[in-house]
Amino acid sequence: MNNKLLLDNLRCIPNWPKEGVNFRDVTTLFKNPECLKTISDEMYNIYKDKGITKIVGIESRGFVMSSAVAIRLNAGIVLCRKPGKLPCETVQESYEKEYGTDTIEIHKDSIDENDVILLHDDLLATGGTMKAACDLVKKFNPKKIYANFIIELVNENLNGRANFDKDIEISTLIQI
């Protein structure tokens, strides 16, 4: 889609968090009401006819648009968090990152087999966190899983889409 408004308002921070990385900062999109509305409208239009019952927001930037779009889709929200942040019994998924292992979790009672799930996060690069979130959600056997990102970094060294099973429909609003 590469909406000009979103591209023009997306901040790039060179060499952060380490040398050679150009960090794409979505907080500049979130603070701009017109950008926030545009993201909400575009996500709503993609998913309005998909029967979404719950949106799984990935900690922490994924929480912002998950909430806004869930209201419009009449869907619930499920928080996908780092260990120790959720107060009730959880289901976990661990995954490898370039510098070690990480784990995410959701409440054990948050999804069932009748749900149609939309997973949402701000950025697709290597896809590790979202792939783990997909694997985690699959443990609940929902009817269908979709994945959405505001930004996708299109780079042969990253190739985040390649990590996902073919049955996961992925959409992004901006490709860089």
Side-chain angles (χ1 to χ4, degrees):
M1 294 182 181
N2 283 350
N3 182 289
K4 183 171 174 18
L5 174 71
L6 300 181
L7 287 169
D8 288 348
N9 283 278
L10 181 62
R11 179 170 36 204
C12 179
I13 303 168
N15 300 312
W16 195 85
K18 64 182 186 177
E19 188 70 29
V21 173
N22 290 318
F23 183 79
R24 307 301 174 159
D25 181 15
V26 295
T27 64
T28 55
L29 302 178
F30 295 160
K31 74 177 184 177
N32 180 317
E34 191 177 354
C35 290
L36 201 57
K37 182 177 182 335
T38 297
I39 295 168
S40 177
D41 289 346
E42 288 191 13
M43 286 181 64
Y44 173 75
N45 286 329
I46 293 168
Y47 296 105
K48 65 183 176 188
D49 298 321
K50 304 285 188 186
I52 304 297
T53 59
K54 297 203 178 111
I55 301 179
V56 176
I58 310 300
E59 186 169 335
S60 68
R61 290 176 299 271
F63 296 165
V64 176
M65 294 314 303
S66 296
S67 300
V69 176
I71 291 167
R72 295 184 70 187
L73 293 175
N74 194 34
I77 289 286
V78 175
L79 301 181
C80 184
R81 302 215 55 194
K82 294 175 183 172
K85 302 287 186 178
L86 296 171
C88 295
E89 190 174 356
T90 63
V91 178
Q92 296 185 336
E93 185 72 25
S94 293
Y95 61 102
E96 294 299 318
K97 295 174 77 169
E98 61 273 11
Y99 47 83
T101 302
D102 211 344
T103 302
I104 54 174
E105 61 185 20
I106 60 177
H107 279 134
K108 186 176 182 178
D109 63 355
S110 59
I111 297 171
D112 66 44
E113 66 278 351
N114 294 313
D115 284 318
V116 176
I117 302 297
L118 171 59
L119 289 147
H120 173 72
D121 204 357
D122 66 323
L123 181 101
L124 172 59
T126 64
T129 303
M130 184 62 88
K131 172 66 167 109
C134 283
D135 292 345
L136 179 57
V137 168
K138 282 184 176 185
K139 292 178 179 180
F140 294 89
N141 298 311
K143 288 182 182 178
K144 177 78 177 158
I145 301 171
Y146 298 91
N148 172 266
F149 303 88
I150 297 170
I151 304 164
E152 178 179 9
L153 300 180
V154 181
N155 177 319
E156 64 277 352
N157 295 325
L158 298 175
N159 199 16
R161 283 182 183 253
N163 293 319
F164 294 90
D165 297 337
K166 300 300 179 211
D167 63 330
I168 306 295
E169 290 182 34
I170 301 170
S171 68
T172 59
L173 304 184
I174 301 171
Q175 291 185 331
I176 299 172

